Amino acid sequence: MNNIFSEGTAMSSQRSLMRALGWTDSEMKKPIIGIICAQSEIIPGHMYLDRIADAVKEGVIAAGGKPVIVPSIGVCDGIAMGHTGMRYSLPSREIIADSAEILARAHAFSGLVFVGNCDKIIPGMLMAAVRLNLPAAFVSGGPMLAGKMHGARLSLSSMFEAVGAYNAGKIDAQELHEYECTACPTCGSCSGMFTANSMNCLTEALGIALPGNGTIPMVYSRRIMLAKETGEAVMNAVKKNIRPSDILTPKAIKNAVAVDNAIGASSNSVLHLLAIAREMGMSEKDFSIDTFNDVSARVPHICKLAPAGKDYIEDLNEAGGISAVIKQLDEAGLFDGTAMTVSGISQRERVKDARVLNASVIRPLSNPYSPTGGLAILKGNLAREGAVVKKSAVDPAMLKHSGPAKVFDSEETAMEAISTGKIVKGDVVVIRYEGPKGGPGMREMLSPTSAIVGAGLGADVALITDGRFSGATRGAAIGHVCPEAAAGGPIGIVQDGDIIDIDIEKGTIDLRISEKEMKARLAAFKPLEKSVDGYLKRYRSMVDSASNGAVYKK
């Protein structure tokens, strides 16, 4: 259990620097646990992560380790939304993974606790955990509570939709300001089943975090207790040599997809689970975008949280949390309960005492919202490698839709058209050159989708893009269209007025032109290339397709 710095005279120089930090002889003989903490004062979900990290430290010390807190960057997707900052969100995932690797290897940590909360931070940390394969555990900061206004509960998606309603003349500036002041009442990750909460819930399904990690609100004292328990858990993992390679296995990834579909998680989870699988060395034959449809066909959708439904993460927590969801799936043979967890026991053993406390929040499998899962992968001549939609958040009237394309080469031009009433019932809004390479950075499109819903067109207009959507998005929003326009994909040759056929139940998305016309347009097509510099230029040259997780090319 000792660290390498306690090994004789060869490490005397290194120990002298540790003495400069105030370390004692006994501390230098203990396992060094790196607590990689993404605390910052710009992300609501990360505001109090220093308190979570301090609680982890207490748990590590109590269990005989020497904790050290080191930093991680993070981007708030909500604050970055709708301007050039969003181009940096997904690319930050790779920086987070790389920097965690650097910190852990350079300082020879014996184990790791990852303390994050929001969208790309948790996936980047998961990628690092796989790559480093040191005993590791995760604890998040927890979700914020739902907002309240005139007796109704709100979330960040309510705020973005209120902007759409204001632009459509449905509410005035005073009411919009009231939304602004009430939608996000506490710190924490945004209160619906958005990307941050989706990924934190999936850390439980993966087994790398303790029960409650995805659902206990940030403002609850139970969150501090969980952080202390996580510090103790990582020390147990160090003692027993339980590593991510024992936990983050192919069965764990498929378990995460099962829970993902059951709870109607964010479409971004597809991107991140693919990236984690690639980091694990899983081939496309073993795990691909098609795996999500295979699992979705078997796993019912049993939780309908905002933005798709009326419930929030705090309700899921009070209803029994992810453990109750896992137990139901395991008992039905839809989840592999033999998978190992960071607790040192199997998933089945860990959730044996879990129970559903509110069957309207976590429905029984016999009475699901849908007999199939909350996500769907669409394919067709417009998306040969696939596209992703959060089916659980689509109005039933839009599960099958055909309409004329209105084509835009950026989010900004699309927003201008939506906000000035140029989009009408029946349209299919196409936003391209927003993929990993084309953006570059694969921006989220919460502003356009919210503007469409806020204008009262959620049951009448579809939106497709080679970019992606926030977990806060609802409506017929189809993202991750691959190949993207910048890579020569067919989305780049769509013209205004072309009819696009979408059938979400059948999993198809097609441009209604002949094969001959398709070939002719593609032969004449020259993709646009946006002028960028700095990190985005480097990212564009290295990033792979979204259908492969938008990871760096090997």
Side-chain angles (χ1 to χ4, degrees):
M1 280 187 61
N2 288 353
N3 62 68
I4 67 168
F5 302 111
S6 64
E7 297 174 2
T9 57
M11 289 290 164
S12 293
S13 299
Q14 288 83 346
R15 287 197 298 271
S16 72
L17 293 170
M18 291 171 175
R19 292 186 191 281
L21 294 167
W23 290 25
T24 65
D25 285 338
S26 62
E27 285 179 310
M28 284 191 277
K29 294 176 183 177
K30 295 175 181 179
I32 302 174
I33 306 301
I35 301 172
I36 300 181
C37 177
Q39 191 274 340
S40 76
E41 295 184 351
I42 192 60
I43 307 177
H46 290 205
M47 180 70 177
Y48 298 126
L49 289 188
D50 53 348
R51 299 181 189 180
I52 300 297
D54 285 342
V56 172
K57 284 180 69 174
E58 290 186 46
V60 170
I61 292 168
K66 171 58 182 174
V68 293
I69 297 175
V70 293
S72 171
I73 65 163
V75 171
C76 178
D77 279 23
I79 294 173
M81 195 76 65
H83 60 91
T84 192
M86 180 48 73
R87 300 195 189 283
Y88 290 88
S89 175
L90 182 59
S92 76
R93 186 188 68 184
E94 314 308 308
I95 294 285
I96 290 161
D98 290 347
S99 62
E101 175 191 356
I102 290 167
L103 284 165
R105 293 292 188 213
H107 300 107
F109 294 150
S110 304
L112 299 164
V113 177
F114 291 91
V115 182
N117 213 29
C118 291
D119 298 33
K120 308 311 157 300
I121 293 88
I122 298 300
M125 289 177 167
L126 283 165
M127 292 165 66
V130 171
R131 191 183 304 173
L132 290 161
N133 202 31
L134 294 168
F138 278 66
V139 62
S140 75
M144 69 172 62
L145 299 178
K148 293 181 181 178
M149 178 173 154
H150 304 319
R153 292 198 294 174
L154 309 174
S155 67
L156 180 64
S157 62
S158 311
M159 187 63 240
F160 274 88
E161 289 174 16
V163 174
Y166 172 76
N167 289 335
K170 295 179 179 292
I171 63 173
D172 60 21
Q174 182 177 346
E175 188 171 0
L176 180 64
H177 182 70
E178 192 173 356
Y179 270 101
E180 179 183 326
C181 294
T182 55
C184 300
T186 73
C187 281
S189 49
C190 298
S191 56
M193 188 54 77
F194 310 150
T195 307
N197 291 327
S198 295
M199 292 308 302
N200 285 326
C201 287
L202 294 188
T203 60
E204 294 186 51
L206 289 165
I208 198 76
L210 299 183
N213 184 57
T215 60
I216 298 170
M218 175 174 266
V219 296
Y220 285 13
S221 298
R222 181 71 187 91
R223 175 62 58 178
I224 298 297
M225 298 179 206
L226 182 71
K228 293 177 183 178
E229 292 163 358
T230 302
E232 294 171 350
V234 78
M235 284 302 298
N236 182 62
V238 169
K239 291 171 186 176
K240 294 183 177 179
N241 198 30
I242 300 170
R243 296 174 181 264
S245 56
D246 301 311
I247 301 166
L248 300 177
T249 61
K251 70 171 71 171
I253 287 283
K254 290 179 181 177
N255 279 345
V257 177
V259 171
D260 192 326
N261 275 283
I263 64 177
S266 165
S267 59
N268 279 318
S269 61
V270 175
L271 202 66
H272 299 318
L273 289 174
L274 283 167
I276 294 161
R278 295 295 168 264
E279 198 72 54
M280 289 166 54
M282 294 182 72
S283 68
E284 288 189 52
K285 181 179 179 182
D286 296 325
F287 188 86
S288 72
I289 198 167
D290 295 321
T291 305
F292 291 84
N293 270 352
D294 295 340
V295 175
S296 177
R298 297 183 289 107
V299 176
H301 175 216
I302 58 174
C303 298
K304 203 174 185 73
L305 276 64
K310 61 180 178 59
D311 298 321
Y312 290 80
I313 294 291
E314 62 201 76
D315 302 314
L316 177 58
N317 185 62
E318 292 166 10
I322 296 301
S323 290
V325 173
I326 288 173
K327 187 175 182 183
Q328 283 202 137
L329 295 177
D330 185 34
E331 289 175 346
L334 299 172
F335 185 98
D336 191 335
T338 67
M340 173 64 75
T341 70
V342 71
S343 307
I345 57 177
S346 71
Q347 286 277 16
R348 186 168 297 140
E349 175 67 16
R350 191 162 79 164
V351 304
K352 66 180 182 180
D353 296 324
R355 57 196 178 99
V356 175
L357 301 174
N358 187 336
S360 69
V361 177
I362 304 174
R363 287 191 174 187
L365 298 182
S366 59
N367 181 34
Y369 287 100
S370 167
T372 56
L375 293 173
I377 306 301
L378 312 184
K379 288 192 173 182
N381 68 4
L382 195 53
R384 296 190 303 271
E385 296 175 6
V388 181
V389 63
K390 187 173 180 177
K391 184 173 68 173
S392 60
V394 177
D395 189 291
M398 292 298 292
L399 290 173
K400 186 174 182 178
H401 179 77
S402 296
K406 288 193 175 172
V407 183
F408 305 93
D409 288 341
S410 70
E411 177 186 1
E412 288 81 3
T413 54
M415 271 300 296
E416 192 277 333
I418 296 167
S419 60
T420 55
K422 295 175 184 175
I423 303 303
V424 298
K425 288 184 178 182
D427 283 346
V428 178
V429 177
V430 178
I431 305 178
R432 59 195 181 193
Y433 296 106
E434 291 290 3
K437 184 184 294 290
M442 203 179 186
R443 289 194 289 182
E444 288 184 342
M445 303 286 159
L446 179 56
S447 295
T449 56
S450 297
I452 288 169
V453 172
L457 295 171
D460 302 289
V461 170
L463 190 156
I464 69 171
T465 179
D466 50 12
R468 59 194 176 90
F469 295 108
S470 165
T473 288
R474 64 187 175 110
I478 300 162
H480 307 204
V481 171
C482 297
E484 61 175 297
I491 190 172
I493 61 163
V494 180
Q495 298 174 3
D496 281 335
D498 284 346
I499 301 300
I500 295 175
D501 298 314
I502 301 164
D503 192 327
I504 293 172
E505 294 289 10
K506 288 186 177 179
T508 59
I509 180 167
D510 290 290
L511 181 61
R512 199 190 294 177
I513 61 174
S514 68
E515 184 65 24
K516 181 179 179 181
E517 174 69 7
M518 174 77 77
K519 288 180 178 178
R521 290 191 193 181
L522 285 172
F525 176 44
K526 291 184 178 180
L528 299 176
E529 185 173 285
K530 296 175 182 175
S531 176
V532 292
D533 56 15
Y535 179 54
L536 290 181
K537 186 173 184 179
R538 195 168 358 129
Y539 180 81
R540 180 171 64 191
S541 70
M542 298 168 69
V543 71
D544 204 347
S545 168
S547 64
N548 204 30
V551 294
Y552 285 155
K553 296 173 184 175
K554 301 295 183 186

